[in-house]
Amino acid sequence: MARESEFIAYMEAFEASTTHVGACTACQNDQPCTAGQPIHAEFIARQNTWTKRLRDERKQP
Ligand SMILES: [Zn+2]
């Protein structure tokens, strides 16, 4: 995936996760609901991908 696409996917996943938490009492209490779990998992996966890319880029000379 292209660098920009990874960042956009990360931002979209972040927004989806934040929006869901804002409207979901269970997820606000750290007890992710069935609907929220895949949304939060997606956000964490995208975040990990992006963080890894930044880390890899810093290793470049
Ligand atoms: Zn939820």
Side-chain angles (χ1 to χ4, degrees), residues 20 24 27 33 36:
H20 177 87
C24 180
C27 289
C33 66

Side-chain angles (χ1 to χ4, degrees), residues 35-51:
Q37 270 169 6
I39 298 174
H40 304 315
E42 168 80 359
F43 167 54
I44 290 164
R46 296 295 183 187
Q47 188 178 48
N48 286 343
T49 303
W50 182 247
T51 309

Side-chain angles (χ1 to χ4, degrees), residues 10-11 13 15 17-18 21 24 26-27 34 36 44 47 51 56 61:
Y10 168 38
M11 284 294 110
E15 192 166 325
S17 176
T18 325
V21 171
C24 180
C27 289
T34 314
I44 290 164
Q47 188 178 48
T51 309
D56 289 348

